[in-house]
mmCIF file of all heavy atoms in Angstrom:
data_model
loop_
_atom_site.group_PDB
_atom_site.id
_atom_site.type_symbol
_atom_site.label_atom_id
_atom_site.label_comp_id
_atom_site.label_asym_id
_atom_site.label_seq_id
_atom_site.Cartn_x
_atom_site.Cartn_y
_atom_site.Cartn_z
ATOM 1 N N PHE A 99 -7.249 14.936 -0.131
ATOM 2 C CA PHE A 99 -8.046 14.327 0.927
ATOM 3 C C PHE A 99 -7.115 13.533 1.821
ATOM 4 O O PHE A 99 -6.513 12.548 1.391
ATOM 5 C CB PHE A 99 -9.114 13.397 0.334
ATOM 6 C CG PHE A 99 -10.176 14.138 -0.422
ATOM 7 C CD1 PHE A 99 -9.998 14.437 -1.766
ATOM 8 C CD2 PHE A 99 -11.333 14.548 0.207
ATOM 9 C CE1 PHE A 99 -10.960 15.129 -2.469
ATOM 10 C CE2 PHE A 99 -12.303 15.241 -0.492
ATOM 11 C CZ PHE A 99 -12.119 15.531 -1.836
ATOM 12 N N GLY A 100 -6.980 13.978 3.062
ATOM 13 C CA GLY A 100 -6.082 13.323 4.011
ATOM 14 C C GLY A 100 -6.830 12.456 4.993
ATOM 15 O O GLY A 100 -7.855 12.862 5.538
ATOM 16 N N LEU A 101 -6.308 11.263 5.229
ATOM 17 C CA LEU A 101 -6.901 10.337 6.197
ATOM 18 C C LEU A 101 -6.814 10.902 7.617
ATOM 19 O O LEU A 101 -5.971 11.760 7.908
ATOM 20 C CB LEU A 101 -6.184 8.987 6.135
ATOM 21 C CG LEU A 101 -6.510 8.127 4.915
ATOM 22 C CD1 LEU A 101 -5.513 6.992 4.774
ATOM 23 C CD2 LEU A 101 -7.918 7.591 5.007
ATOM 24 N N PRO A 102 -7.643 10.386 8.520
ATOM 25 C CA PRO A 102 -7.658 10.900 9.891
ATOM 26 C C PRO A 102 -6.337 10.817 10.622
ATOM 27 O O PRO A 102 -6.072 11.637 11.493
ATOM 28 C CB PRO A 102 -8.707 10.022 10.581
ATOM 29 C CG PRO A 102 -9.590 9.559 9.493
ATOM 30 C CD PRO A 102 -8.702 9.403 8.293
ATOM 31 N N ASN A 103 -5.475 9.885 10.288
ATOM 32 C CA ASN A 103 -4.211 9.781 11.012
ATOM 33 C C ASN A 103 -3.266 10.936 10.676
ATOM 34 O O ASN A 103 -2.250 11.123 11.327
ATOM 35 C CB ASN A 103 -3.538 8.430 10.753
ATOM 36 C CG ASN A 103 -3.146 8.233 9.293
ATOM 37 O OD1 ASN A 103 -3.079 9.182 8.502
ATOM 38 N ND2 ASN A 103 -2.893 6.988 8.922
ATOM 39 N N GLY A 104 -3.593 11.686 9.634
ATOM 40 C CA GLY A 104 -2.798 12.857 9.272
ATOM 41 C C GLY A 104 -1.484 12.557 8.587
ATOM 42 O O GLY A 104 -0.731 13.460 8.264
ATOM 43 N N THR A 105 -1.193 11.293 8.350
ATOM 44 C CA THR A 105 0.093 10.948 7.744
ATOM 45 C C THR A 105 -0.034 10.429 6.315
ATOM 46 O O THR A 105 0.973 10.217 5.660
ATOM 47 C CB THR A 105 0.822 9.867 8.570
ATOM 48 O OG1 THR A 105 0.011 8.691 8.596
ATOM 49 C CG2 THR A 105 1.095 10.356 9.972
ATOM 50 N N MET A 106 -1.266 10.215 5.860
ATOM 51 C CA MET A 106 -1.425 9.634 4.533
ATOM 52 C C MET A 106 -2.486 10.378 3.723
ATOM 53 O O MET A 106 -3.530 10.746 4.247
ATOM 54 C CB MET A 106 -1.837 8.162 4.644
ATOM 55 C CG MET A 106 -1.754 7.448 3.325
ATOM 56 S SD MET A 106 -2.314 5.715 3.346
ATOM 57 C CE MET A 106 -1.571 5.034 4.780
ATOM 58 N N VAL A 107 -2.168 10.581 2.448
ATOM 59 C CA VAL A 107 -3.119 11.172 1.515
ATOM 60 C C VAL A 107 -3.949 10.043 0.928
ATOM 61 O O VAL A 107 -3.409 9.051 0.439
ATOM 62 C CB VAL A 107 -2.379 11.938 0.388
ATOM 63 C CG1 VAL A 107 -3.336 12.348 -0.707
ATOM 64 C CG2 VAL A 107 -1.647 13.138 0.968
ATOM 65 N N TYR A 108 -5.265 10.186 1.007
ATOM 66 C CA TYR A 108 -6.134 9.157 0.432
ATOM 67 C C TYR A 108 -6.327 9.384 -1.066
ATOM 68 O O TYR A 108 -6.264 8.452 -1.854
ATOM 69 C CB TYR A 108 -7.509 9.141 1.128
ATOM 70 C CG TYR A 108 -8.390 8.065 0.546
ATOM 71 C CD1 TYR A 108 -8.265 6.752 0.982
ATOM 72 C CD2 TYR A 108 -9.301 8.334 -0.471
ATOM 73 C CE1 TYR A 108 -9.022 5.739 0.431
ATOM 74 C CE2 TYR A 108 -10.061 7.326 -1.027
ATOM 75 C CZ TYR A 108 -9.921 6.037 -0.575
ATOM 76 O OH TYR A 108 -10.666 5.020 -1.132
ATOM 77 N N SER A 109 -6.544 10.639 -1.453
ATOM 78 C CA SER A 109 -6.853 10.934 -2.849
ATOM 79 C C SER A 109 -6.441 12.368 -3.180
ATOM 80 O O SER A 109 -6.458 13.242 -2.311
ATOM 81 C CB SER A 109 -8.361 10.769 -3.068
ATOM 82 O OG SER A 109 -8.727 11.105 -4.375
ATOM 83 N N THR A 110 -6.089 12.592 -4.434
ATOM 84 C CA THR A 110 -5.730 13.925 -4.917
ATOM 85 C C THR A 110 -6.479 14.182 -6.221
ATOM 86 O O THR A 110 -6.487 13.326 -7.105
ATOM 87 C CB THR A 110 -4.214 14.022 -5.171
ATOM 88 O OG1 THR A 110 -3.535 13.741 -3.945
ATOM 89 C CG2 THR A 110 -3.817 15.403 -5.647
ATOM 90 N N ILE A 111 -7.087 15.354 -6.323
ATOM 91 C CA ILE A 111 -7.826 15.726 -7.533
ATOM 92 C C ILE A 111 -7.239 17.044 -8.048
ATOM 93 O O ILE A 111 -7.380 18.084 -7.397
ATOM 94 C CB ILE A 111 -9.327 15.902 -7.247
ATOM 95 C CG1 ILE A 111 -9.910 14.612 -6.664
ATOM 96 C CG2 ILE A 111 -10.073 16.322 -8.514
ATOM 97 C CD1 ILE A 111 -11.313 14.760 -6.117
ATOM 98 N N PRO A 112 -6.594 17.029 -9.208
ATOM 99 C CA PRO A 112 -6.056 18.282 -9.756
ATOM 100 C C PRO A 112 -7.174 19.134 -10.353
ATOM 101 O O PRO A 112 -8.211 18.617 -10.782
ATOM 102 C CB PRO A 112 -5.095 17.800 -10.847
ATOM 103 C CG PRO A 112 -5.591 16.453 -11.229
ATOM 104 C CD PRO A 112 -6.280 15.874 -10.022
ATOM 105 N N PHE A 113 -6.954 20.454 -10.367
ATOM 106 C CA PHE A 113 -7.912 21.362 -11.006
ATOM 107 C C PHE A 113 -7.163 22.527 -11.621
ATOM 108 O O PHE A 113 -6.082 22.906 -11.175
ATOM 109 C CB PHE A 113 -8.972 21.856 -10.006
ATOM 110 C CG PHE A 113 -8.403 22.609 -8.839
ATOM 111 C CD1 PHE A 113 -8.187 23.971 -8.890
ATOM 112 C CD2 PHE A 113 -8.071 21.933 -7.675
ATOM 113 C CE1 PHE A 113 -7.654 24.653 -7.813
ATOM 114 C CE2 PHE A 113 -7.539 22.609 -6.586
ATOM 115 C CZ PHE A 113 -7.327 23.977 -6.660
ATOM 116 N N ASP A 114 -7.758 23.086 -12.671
ATOM 117 C CA ASP A 114 -7.204 24.250 -13.364
ATOM 118 C C ASP A 114 -8.377 25.071 -13.869
ATOM 119 O O ASP A 114 -9.040 24.703 -14.845
ATOM 120 C CB ASP A 114 -6.314 23.810 -14.523
ATOM 121 C CG ASP A 114 -5.633 24.971 -15.229
ATOM 122 O OD1 ASP A 114 -6.101 26.128 -15.096
ATOM 123 O OD2 ASP A 114 -4.632 24.725 -15.925
ATOM 124 N N GLY A 115 -8.654 26.184 -13.187
ATOM 125 C CA GLY A 115 -9.776 27.044 -13.548
ATOM 126 C C GLY A 115 -9.658 27.650 -14.926
ATOM 127 O O GLY A 115 -10.663 28.043 -15.517
ATOM 128 N N GLY A 116 -8.439 27.728 -15.474
ATOM 129 C CA GLY A 116 -8.258 28.237 -16.829
ATOM 130 C C GLY A 116 -8.771 27.258 -17.878
ATOM 131 O O GLY A 116 -9.085 27.637 -19.000
ATOM 132 N N ILE A 117 -8.857 25.998 -17.517
ATOM 133 C CA ILE A 117 -9.351 24.970 -18.438
ATOM 134 C C ILE A 117 -10.824 24.667 -18.173
ATOM 135 O O ILE A 117 -11.626 24.554 -19.085
ATOM 136 C CB ILE A 117 -8.506 23.686 -18.314
ATOM 137 C CG1 ILE A 117 -7.070 23.968 -18.760
ATOM 138 C CG2 ILE A 117 -9.113 22.547 -19.122
ATOM 139 C CD1 ILE A 117 -6.104 22.834 -18.501
ATOM 140 N N LYS A 118 -11.171 24.557 -16.892
ATOM 141 C CA LYS A 118 -12.531 24.185 -16.504
ATOM 142 C C LYS A 118 -12.885 24.921 -15.220
ATOM 143 O O LYS A 118 -12.215 24.756 -14.205
ATOM 144 C CB LYS A 118 -12.549 22.672 -16.274
ATOM 145 C CG LYS A 118 -13.853 22.003 -16.414
ATOM 146 C CD LYS A 118 -13.644 20.500 -16.204
ATOM 147 C CE LYS A 118 -14.594 19.727 -17.055
ATOM 148 N NZ LYS A 118 -14.447 18.297 -16.846
ATOM 149 N N SER A 119 -13.943 25.731 -15.261
ATOM 150 C CA SER A 119 -14.296 26.525 -14.075
ATOM 151 C C SER A 119 -15.193 25.770 -13.098
ATOM 152 O O SER A 119 -15.392 26.217 -11.974
ATOM 153 C CB SER A 119 -14.971 27.829 -14.482
ATOM 154 O OG SER A 119 -16.215 27.566 -15.111
ATOM 155 N N GLU A 120 -15.745 24.642 -13.536
ATOM 156 C CA GLU A 120 -16.566 23.851 -12.620
ATOM 157 C C GLU A 120 -16.557 22.381 -13.031
ATOM 158 O O GLU A 120 -16.382 22.042 -14.194
ATOM 159 C CB GLU A 120 -17.991 24.371 -12.551
ATOM 160 C CG GLU A 120 -18.722 24.475 -13.853
ATOM 161 C CD GLU A 120 -20.061 25.179 -13.689
ATOM 162 O OE1 GLU A 120 -20.086 26.327 -13.241
ATOM 163 O OE2 GLU A 120 -21.071 24.528 -14.010
ATOM 164 N N PHE A 121 -16.697 21.525 -12.023
ATOM 165 C CA PHE A 121 -16.797 20.088 -12.262
ATOM 166 C C PHE A 121 -17.333 19.419 -11.011
ATOM 167 O O PHE A 121 -17.346 19.995 -9.927
ATOM 168 C CB PHE A 121 -15.449 19.477 -12.675
ATOM 169 C CG PHE A 121 -14.372 19.554 -11.630
ATOM 170 C CD1 PHE A 121 -14.182 18.524 -10.716
ATOM 171 C CD2 PHE A 121 -13.521 20.655 -11.564
ATOM 172 C CE1 PHE A 121 -13.179 18.599 -9.756
ATOM 173 C CE2 PHE A 121 -12.523 20.734 -10.616
ATOM 174 C CZ PHE A 121 -12.352 19.699 -9.703
ATOM 175 N N ASN A 122 -17.822 18.198 -11.177
ATOM 176 C CA ASN A 122 -18.317 17.379 -10.074
ATOM 177 C C ASN A 122 -17.605 16.033 -10.126
ATOM 178 O O ASN A 122 -17.297 15.531 -11.208
ATOM 179 C CB ASN A 122 -19.821 17.147 -10.195
ATOM 180 C CG ASN A 122 -20.607 18.433 -10.129
ATOM 181 O OD1 ASN A 122 -20.382 19.254 -9.257
ATOM 182 N ND2 ASN A 122 -21.521 18.618 -11.059
ATOM 183 N N THR A 123 -17.377 15.464 -8.969
ATOM 184 C CA THR A 123 -16.792 14.129 -8.891
ATOM 185 C C THR A 123 -17.217 13.507 -7.566
ATOM 186 O O THR A 123 -17.812 14.174 -6.714
ATOM 187 C CB THR A 123 -15.250 14.190 -9.015
ATOM 188 O OG1 THR A 123 -14.736 12.866 -9.156
ATOM 189 C CG2 THR A 123 -14.603 14.877 -7.826
ATOM 190 N N TYR A 124 -16.932 12.233 -7.415
ATOM 191 C CA TYR A 124 -17.205 11.570 -6.145
ATOM 192 C C TYR A 124 -16.262 10.386 -5.983
ATOM 193 O O TYR A 124 -15.641 9.927 -6.941
ATOM 194 C CB TYR A 124 -18.662 11.101 -6.048
ATOM 195 C CG TYR A 124 -18.995 9.922 -6.928
ATOM 196 C CD1 TYR A 124 -18.944 8.624 -6.436
ATOM 197 C CD2 TYR A 124 -19.364 10.111 -8.257
ATOM 198 C CE1 TYR A 124 -19.239 7.541 -7.237
ATOM 199 C CE2 TYR A 124 -19.671 9.036 -9.072
ATOM 200 C CZ TYR A 124 -19.607 7.757 -8.553
ATOM 201 O OH TYR A 124 -19.891 6.680 -9.350
ATOM 202 N N PHE A 125 -16.144 9.933 -4.762
ATOM 203 C CA PHE A 125 -15.398 8.708 -4.469
ATOM 204 C C PHE A 125 -16.000 8.056 -3.240
ATOM 205 O O PHE A 125 -16.713 8.695 -2.466
ATOM 206 C CB PHE A 125 -13.895 8.985 -4.293
ATOM 207 C CG PHE A 125 -13.551 9.813 -3.078
ATOM 208 C CD1 PHE A 125 -13.162 9.205 -1.897
ATOM 209 C CD2 PHE A 125 -13.596 11.207 -3.128
ATOM 210 C CE1 PHE A 125 -12.828 9.964 -0.776
ATOM 211 C CE2 PHE A 125 -13.264 11.968 -2.023
ATOM 212 C CZ PHE A 125 -12.878 11.348 -0.835
ATOM 213 N N THR A 126 -15.729 6.772 -3.089
ATOM 214 C CA THR A 126 -16.164 6.023 -1.915
ATOM 215 C C THR A 126 -14.915 5.492 -1.234
ATOM 216 O O THR A 126 -14.232 4.635 -1.793
ATOM 217 C CB THR A 126 -17.069 4.839 -2.327
ATOM 218 O OG1 THR A 126 -18.123 5.330 -3.146
ATOM 219 C CG2 THR A 126 -17.648 4.155 -1.100
ATOM 220 N N PRO A 127 -14.561 6.007 -0.071
ATOM 221 C CA PRO A 127 -13.370 5.508 0.618
ATOM 222 C C PRO A 127 -13.457 4.004 0.837
ATOM 223 O O PRO A 127 -14.503 3.475 1.232
ATOM 224 C CB PRO A 127 -13.384 6.259 1.949
ATOM 225 C CG PRO A 127 -14.159 7.508 1.659
ATOM 226 C CD PRO A 127 -15.216 7.078 0.683
ATOM 227 N N SER A 128 -12.369 3.323 0.532
ATOM 228 C CA SER A 128 -12.353 1.869 0.682
ATOM 229 C C SER A 128 -10.995 1.405 1.208
ATOM 230 O O SER A 128 -10.011 2.139 1.170
ATOM 231 C CB SER A 128 -12.661 1.199 -0.656
ATOM 232 O OG SER A 128 -11.696 1.573 -1.617
ATOM 233 N N LEU A 129 -10.981 0.178 1.677
ATOM 234 C CA LEU A 129 -9.751 -0.415 2.188
ATOM 235 C C LEU A 129 -8.839 -0.784 1.024
ATOM 236 O O LEU A 129 -9.297 -1.031 -0.084
ATOM 237 C CB LEU A 129 -10.075 -1.670 3.001
ATOM 238 C CG LEU A 129 -11.020 -1.473 4.189
ATOM 239 C CD1 LEU A 129 -11.250 -2.795 4.899
ATOM 240 C CD2 LEU A 129 -10.486 -0.430 5.155
ATOM 241 N N SER A 130 -7.538 -0.799 1.302
ATOM 242 C CA SER A 130 -6.572 -1.159 0.266
ATOM 243 C C SER A 130 -5.310 -1.711 0.926
ATOM 244 O O SER A 130 -4.614 -0.978 1.649
ATOM 245 C CB SER A 130 -6.214 0.073 -0.578
ATOM 246 O OG SER A 130 -5.115 -0.203 -1.408
ATOM 247 N N LYS A 131 -5.045 -2.970 0.656
ATOM 248 C CA LYS A 131 -3.835 -3.587 1.194
ATOM 249 C C LYS A 131 -2.603 -2.881 0.643
ATOM 250 O O LYS A 131 -1.657 -2.587 1.377
ATOM 251 C CB LYS A 131 -3.817 -5.077 0.834
ATOM 252 C CG LYS A 131 -2.729 -5.863 1.475
ATOM 253 C CD LYS A 131 -2.893 -7.355 1.134
ATOM 254 C CE LYS A 131 -1.890 -8.192 1.872
ATOM 255 N NZ LYS A 131 -2.068 -9.620 1.574
ATOM 256 N N ALA A 132 -2.604 -2.567 -0.660
ATOM 257 C CA ALA A 132 -1.458 -1.918 -1.307
ATOM 258 C C ALA A 132 -1.176 -0.542 -0.713
ATOM 259 O O ALA A 132 -0.023 -0.130 -0.608
ATOM 260 C CB ALA A 132 -1.703 -1.802 -2.808
#
């Protein structure tokens, strides 16, 4: 998931269909000083 400025990744979710063919997740974008 890339932020609108195109220079920073907000979040990364790995997946492997050989282990799990389906899953659900969610996140709420938030501010972060770090």
Side-chain angles (χ1 to χ4, degrees):
F99 292 87
L101 286 166
N103 64 17
T105 61
M106 191 183 315
V107 170
Y108 181 82
S109 177
T110 301
I111 302 169
F113 60 88
D114 184 340
I117 296 172
K118 204 178 213 182
S119 65
E120 56 188 59
F121 64 91
N122 298 312
T123 190
Y124 72 94
F125 67 96
T126 307
S128 60
L129 302 180
S130 169
K131 188 175 185 179

